C-alpha cells in the first residue's frame, strides 16, 4: 500500500449533454445585451461627433459668431476697429459698423431668418440675420436664441428700413448682421423682466392683482418693492436711465448757474460730534468708542463759512434724517442742493437768486433733457410743468396762502403749519390763479421754523423765511439767518424744544458770529424731490439709485 495522500476530489461535472442552469443563461444574456447597448452608444456618439465635425466643416460662418472668453482671462490683441454709437447710424448708411449693445429680444422667424431688438443706452434698433450662401443656418439659429439681456458685440451693415420700425426708437434704419459674439450671457430666466420695469407702478390704492393690471393689458404691474429688491435689473429700464440722467443734469446745471455767480463749491462734514440742530431725528454711530452723529444738513457749516468771509457757498451732498416717515416723498438719506450767501440790504435778494436758479434749471432741462423728460412723462401721462417768466415768480405771503385755502373751504388758523394735502390744494389754487407750477410762500410763522431764523419786522409771530414749491409740494426751505450771537442765543433758548447755545454741537456755531458776520440767507433743496415733481413721479424712491427709508437699507 502506498503512503501518498489521496488525491483531492475533482469538482463534479455536469453530465455530457446537460444544459446550463437558467440563472447562468439569464446572466449571459444580460451581459450580451449590456455589451450590445454599450457598443451601440459608442457608435451613436461616434456618428454624432462625425456629423457635427462635418457640419462644422460646412459652417461657413463658424468664425463669425459664438461666445467670447471672459474679457481679461486670456491674452488679447486689440482689433483697432472703431466702435459706433447707435445714435449715429444715420451717418453710416450702407456701411459696416461694429458696436456693443444688449439684447432686448431675439426671435427665430424660420430656420433661415431671425430678428433681434438691440439696445444701447436709450436707443433701440432692429437687427436682421438671414441665411445665404455667405451666412450659415447655424449662425441664424445661434443669433435667434441669444438670451434676453445678454451683452453682445455686433458687426453689421446699416440699411434703410423698407418701412418705419415701430418697435424700435431708431425707426428708419436696421442692421443686417455679419458677426455676433456674446460677451456676457444673461441667466435664464431673469429675476425680473426689464420690460415690466418700463411700465407704470400700480396705483397705491389697488388691492388686488386684477386692479393692478395695466389698462388694456393682461400682465400685472410690478410693485415698487419687487423692483427695488431687483434694482440692478430695474435700473436697466429706459425710464429709469432717463430719471438718473435728469438727476445728474440738475446737479450739473445747479453748479453751472451758481459758478457763474461766483459761488464757491464746498464740502462740509457729515460726521458730527453732537446733534447740532437740537432735533432728535439724527442717526447715532459709534465713533472710536464715543457717540457721533450723521449730519441733518450742512446749515451750521454754511453759515460758519459766511462768517469766515466766504461770500457765497454752494454744496451738493448727502443729508441724513432719522424720521420715521413712510411717505411717497420722504427718504432717510437724500441729496441736498444747498447754498448760502450774504446779501446787501434785504433777504429777498437771495430769494431772487434762488428763483432764477430754479428757472434756469427748469428751462435747461427742457432743452438738454427733453428726450428723457418726454419718455418718463409719456409713461405717467403727466402734464407739462408750467413756468413763470423770470422776475414773475409768484411770492405769496403765508397769510395770503392761508386766506386762499380758507376761501376754498379749508379750516386753518392764522399761524398753523400746512399739511401735505393742504400744500397740494394750495398748489392747485396757485396754478389756477397764476398759471404756474412753481411759486414761493414767504414769511412763515416763526414757531414752525428753526431757531436760527430771523424774526419778521412786520409781525413777531412771523419770520423772514420762505419755501419753494413744485406742483404744490415743497422742494426748498430757506430763510434769512440770525447773524448776531446774542439774538441767536436768545432765540435758541426760547425755541420749542429749547436749544443750549453753549452745548457741544452749538457753541462753536454761536461763537462764530461774535467776531462780525454779514447778513446772509440761503436755502436747501431736496434733489430727489425736484426730479420727482418735475417728472410727476408717484414715489420719491424712484429718484434714488438705492433708496434708504425706515424700512429699507439694502441693496
Amino acid at each position: 500500500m502506498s503512503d501518498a495522500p489521496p488525491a483531492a476530489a475533482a469538482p463534479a461535472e455536469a453530465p455530457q449533454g446537460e444544459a446550463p442552469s437558467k440563472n447562468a443563461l439569464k446572466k449571459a444574456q444580460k451581459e450580451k445585451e449590456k455589451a450590445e447597448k454599450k457598443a451601440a452608444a459608442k457608435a451613436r456618439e461616434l456618428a454624432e461627433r462625425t456629423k457635427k465635425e462635418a457640419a462644422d466643416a460646412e459652417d461657413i460662418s463658424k468664425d463669425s459668431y459664438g461666445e467670447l472668453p471672459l474679457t481679461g482671462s486670456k491674452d488679447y490683441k486689440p482689433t483697432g476697429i472703431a466702435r459706433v454709437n447707435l445714435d449715429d447710424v444715420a451717418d453710416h448708411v450702407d456701411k459696416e459698423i461694429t458696436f456693443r449693445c444688449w439684447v432686448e429680444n431675439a426671435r427665430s422667424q424660420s430656420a433661415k431668418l431671425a430678428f433681434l431688438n438691440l439696445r444701447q443706452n436709450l436707443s433701440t434698433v432692429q437687427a436682421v440675420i438671414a441665411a445665404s450662401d455667405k451666412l450659415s443656418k447655424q449662425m441664424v439659429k445661434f443669433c435667434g436664441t441669444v438670451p434676453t439681456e445678454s451683452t453682445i458685440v455686433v458687426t453689421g451693415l446699416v440699411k434703410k428700413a423698407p418701412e418705419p420700425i415701430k418697435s424700435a426708437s431708431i425707426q428708419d434704419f436696421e442692421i443686417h448682421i455679419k458677426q455676433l459674439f456674446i460677451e456676457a450671457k444673461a441667466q435664464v430666466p431673469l429675476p425680473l423682466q426689464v420690460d415690466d420695469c418700463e411700465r407704470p407702478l400700480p396705483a397705491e390704492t389697488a388691492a388686488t392683482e386684477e386692479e393692478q393690471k395695466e389698462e388694456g393689458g393682461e400682465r400685472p404691474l410690478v410693485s415698487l418693492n419687487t423692483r427695488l429688491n431687483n434694482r440692478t435689473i430695474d435700473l436697466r429700464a429706459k425710464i429709469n436711465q432717463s430719471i438718473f440722467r435728469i438727476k445728474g443734469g440738475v446737479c450739473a446745471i445747479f453748479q453751472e448757474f451758481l459758478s457763474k455767480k461766483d459761488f464757491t463749491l464746498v464740502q462740509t462734514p457729515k460726521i458730527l460730534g453732537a446733534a447740532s440742530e437740537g432735533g432728535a431725528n439724527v442717526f447715532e454711530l459709534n465713533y472710536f468708542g464715543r457717540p457721533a452723529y450723521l449730519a441733518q444738513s450742512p446749515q451750521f457749516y454754511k453759515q460758519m463759512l459766511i462768517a469766515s468771509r466766504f461770500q457765497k457757498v454752494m454744496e451738493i451732498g448727502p443729508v441724513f434724517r432719522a424720521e420715521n416717515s413712510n411717505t411717497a416723498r420722504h427718504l432717510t438719506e437724500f441729496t441736498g442742493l444747498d447754498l448760502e450767501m450774504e446779501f446787501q440790504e434785504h433777504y429777498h435778494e437771495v430769494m431772487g437768486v434762488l428763483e432764477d436758479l430754479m428757472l434756469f434749471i427748469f428751462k435747461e432741462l427742457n432743452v438738454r433733457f427733453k428726450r428723457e423728460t418726454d419718455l418718463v412723462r409719456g409713461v405717467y401721462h403727466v402734464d407739462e410743468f408750467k413756468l413763470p417768466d423770470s422776475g414773475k415768480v409768484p411770492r405769496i405771503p403765508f397769510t395770503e396762502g392761508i386766506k386762499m385755502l380758507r376761501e376754498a373751504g379749508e379750516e386753518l388758523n392764522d399761524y398753523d403749519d400746512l399739511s401735505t394735502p393742504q400744500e397740494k390744494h394750495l398748489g392747485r389754487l396757485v396754478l389756477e390763479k397764476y398759471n404756474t407750477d412753481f411759486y414761493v410762500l414767504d414769511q412763515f410763522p416763526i414757531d414752525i421754523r428753526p431757531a436760527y431764523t430771523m424774526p419778521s419786522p412786520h409781525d413777531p409771530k412771523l419770520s423772514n423765511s420762505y419755501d419753494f414749491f413744485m406742483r404744490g409740494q415743497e422742494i426748498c426751505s430757506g430763510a434769512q439767518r440770525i447773524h448776531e450771537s446774542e439774538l441767536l442765543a436768545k432765540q435758541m433758548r426760547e425755541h420749542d424744544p429749547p436749544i443750549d447755545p453753549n452745548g457741544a454741537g452749538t457753541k462753536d456755531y454761536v461763537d462764530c458770529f461774535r467776531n462780525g458776520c454779514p447778513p446772509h440767507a440761503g436755502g436747501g433743496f431736496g434733489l430727489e424731490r425736484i426730479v420727482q415733481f418735475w417728472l410727476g413721479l408717484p414715489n420719491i424712491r424712484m429718484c434714488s439709485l438705492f433708496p434708504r427709508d425706515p424700512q429699507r437699507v439694502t441693496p
Side-chain angles (χ1 to χ4, degrees):
M1 177 179 268
S2 171
D3 292 333
E13 292 182 2
Q16 280 189 341
E18 186 176 329
S21 69
K22 288 184 179 181
N23 286 340
L25 286 173
K26 285 182 180 179
K27 185 175 181 181
Q29 182 64 27
K30 284 183 179 178
E31 291 295 331
K32 182 181 176 184
E33 289 174 357
K34 187 175 179 182
E36 287 174 348
K37 285 181 180 179
K38 190 173 183 181
K42 281 187 177 181
R44 283 196 303 272
E45 184 181 343
L46 179 61
E48 287 174 4
R49 185 163 63 245
T50 303
K51 184 179 178 182
K52 185 177 185 302
E53 287 172 356
D56 289 343
E58 294 173 5
D59 186 355
I60 55 176
S61 303
K62 63 181 179 180
D63 296 327
S64 296
Y65 69 96
E67 290 189 46
L68 296 175
L70 184 66
T71 303
S73 66
K74 293 186 176 181
D75 286 339
Y76 173 75
K77 186 177 291 185
T79 63
I81 298 173
R83 301 291 179 90
V84 171
N85 191 315
L86 276 185
D87 286 334
D88 300 327
V89 293
D91 300 331
H92 300 274
V93 181
D94 294 327
K95 296 178 183 177
E96 198 171 89
I97 64 171
T98 298
F99 58 95
R100 173 186 283 147
C101 59
W102 66 91
V103 179
E104 277 199 331
N105 183 37
R107 62 194 187 279
S108 293
Q109 199 78 356
S110 69
K112 293 186 176 183
L113 181 65
F115 291 92
L116 296 89
N117 286 350
L118 305 180
R119 180 177 160 197
Q120 186 188 82
N121 301 320
L122 298 182
S123 299
T124 55
V125 69
Q126 176 175 278
V128 184
I129 182 164
S132 67
D133 56 353
K134 295 182 179 179
L135 199 148
S136 69
K137 289 193 293 183
Q138 294 96 319
M139 182 172 174
V140 173
K141 181 180 179 181
F142 177 85
C143 292
T145 56
V146 177
T148 299
E149 289 301 304
S150 295
T151 302
I152 62 176
V153 177
V154 173
T155 297
L157 192 65
V158 180
K159 299 295 289 184
K160 189 84 169 65
E163 59 184 38
I165 302 166
K166 296 180 180 179
S167 61
S169 66
I170 299 171
Q171 299 191 348
D172 297 327
F173 305 96
E174 61 185 12
I175 307 296
H176 289 212
I177 295 175
K178 303 295 182 184
Q179 294 183 342
L180 187 151
F181 294 97
I182 298 176
E183 278 193 322
K185 193 172 184 178
Q187 68 175 18
V188 179
L190 292 169
L192 181 70
Q193 294 300 315
V194 176
D195 186 53
D196 288 339
C197 303
E198 300 285 10
R199 300 182 297 136
L201 290 176
E204 292 181 9
T205 55
T208 68
E209 186 175 283
E210 284 300 316
E211 290 177 328
Q212 292 181 6
K213 284 183 179 177
E214 186 176 17
E215 186 177 348
E218 290 301 321
R219 294 164 67 181
L221 297 175
V222 180
S223 72
L224 181 60
N225 259 348
T226 299
R227 297 184 190 198
L228 294 180
N229 289 339
N230 299 279
R231 190 60 161 158
T232 55
I233 297 294
D234 181 41
L235 287 172
R236 295 182 180 188
K238 289 185 283 291
I239 184 173
N240 289 325
Q241 297 271 320
S242 297
I243 289 169
F244 291 99
R245 286 188 180 200
I246 291 167
K247 186 177 181 181
V250 172
C251 293
I253 299 166
F254 172 86
Q255 190 170 335
E256 176 185 328
F257 178 88
L258 294 178
S259 293
K260 289 178 180 177
K261 292 190 174 293
D262 296 325
F263 278 74
T264 300
L265 181 66
V266 299
Q267 296 82 34
T268 59
K270 304 307 169 199
I271 299 176
L272 310 180
S276 57
E277 296 187 37
N281 298 323
V282 292
F283 289 109
E284 183 176 335
L285 56 93
N286 185 329
Y287 193 74
F288 302 106
R290 61 185 187 274
Y293 306 88
L294 294 177
Q296 291 173 280
S297 84
Q299 186 55 47
F300 283 11
Y301 289 103
K302 288 191 303 177
Q303 291 185 252
M304 292 166 77
L305 288 171
I306 298 297
S308 302
R309 303 302 189 219
F310 286 83
Q311 293 180 302
K312 302 174 182 179
V313 295
M314 61 174 163
E315 178 171 11
I316 301 174
V319 176
F320 303 92
R321 300 279 171 87
E323 298 174 350
N324 194 13
S325 297
N326 295 280
T327 76
R329 66 173 193 169
H330 284 90
L331 293 168
T332 54
E333 177 184 354
F334 62 91
T335 304
L337 303 179
D338 277 270
L339 65 86
E340 203 76 21
M341 61 178 284
E342 63 176 66
F343 60 82
Q344 300 303 313
E345 297 178 320
H346 197 276
Y347 76 95
H348 279 185
E349 298 167 27
V350 181
M351 281 176 57
V353 171
L354 291 168
E355 290 167 355
D356 287 346
L357 164 66
M358 292 310 301
L359 289 178
F360 182 74
I361 289 174
F362 297 145
K363 289 176 180 177
E364 290 304 306
L365 287 178
N366 271 332
V367 174
R368 304 183 198 183
F369 297 93
K370 185 178 188 305
R371 177 187 184 186
E372 291 84 352
T373 297
D374 289 347
L375 189 154
V376 178
R377 288 182 184 165
V379 173
Y380 283 94
H381 309 295
V382 178
D383 292 335
E384 185 177 350
F385 193 85
K386 289 185 169 58
L387 290 172
D389 293 329
S390 178
K392 295 184 178 180
V393 177
R395 294 180 180 176
I396 303 168
F398 185 85
T399 52
E400 176 64 22
I402 294 289
K403 181 181 176 183
M404 290 172 66
L405 285 169
R406 281 178 181 159
E407 290 174 351
E410 297 279 357
E411 294 184 5
L412 281 166
N413 294 321
D414 290 347
Y415 304 104
D416 284 351
D417 198 2
L418 301 182
S419 66
T420 298
Q422 288 166 342
E423 284 183 355
K424 292 180 178 179
H425 190 178
L426 181 59
R428 294 191 293 271
L429 297 174
V430 171
L431 178 60
E432 183 180 337
K433 182 174 181 179
Y434 297 99
N435 195 35
T436 177
D437 285 308
F438 176 60
Y439 59 94
V440 183
L441 276 186
D442 190 20
Q443 292 279 303
F444 272 75
I446 197 164
D447 286 346
I448 61 174
R449 305 303 277 199
Y452 47 74
T453 307
M454 180 67 76
S456 171
H458 310 296
D459 182 342
K461 291 188 176 182
L462 299 177
S463 62
N464 293 351
S465 62
Y466 41 83
D467 278 0
F468 284 63
F469 292 83
M470 291 174 65
R471 299 189 195 270
Q473 300 198 67
E474 179 249 321
I475 59 161
C476 169
S477 184
Q480 177 185 351
R481 327 296 188 180
I482 298 172
H483 58 284
E484 196 272 327
S485 59
E486 297 305 320
L487 176 58
L488 177 58
K490 174 178 177 294
Q491 292 296 106
M492 291 172 75
R493 292 189 186 98
E494 294 176 357
H495 192 261
D496 184 17
I499 302 171
D500 182 5
N502 294 311
T506 53
K507 188 176 188 305
D508 291 335
Y509 165 69
V510 175
D511 285 350
C512 82
F513 300 111
R514 299 187 188 282
N515 299 312
C517 179
H520 58 279
F525 293 90
L527 172 60
E528 288 79 6
R529 284 193 182 182
I530 292 174
V531 177
Q532 180 188 3
F533 303 147
W534 170 255
L535 295 172
L537 297 172
N539 198 299
I540 197 168
R541 289 157 186 79
M542 299 175 69
C543 304
S544 177
L545 285 170
F546 300 97
R548 297 293 179 256
D549 61 32
Q551 311 303 322
R552 180 175 290 277
V553 289
T554 59

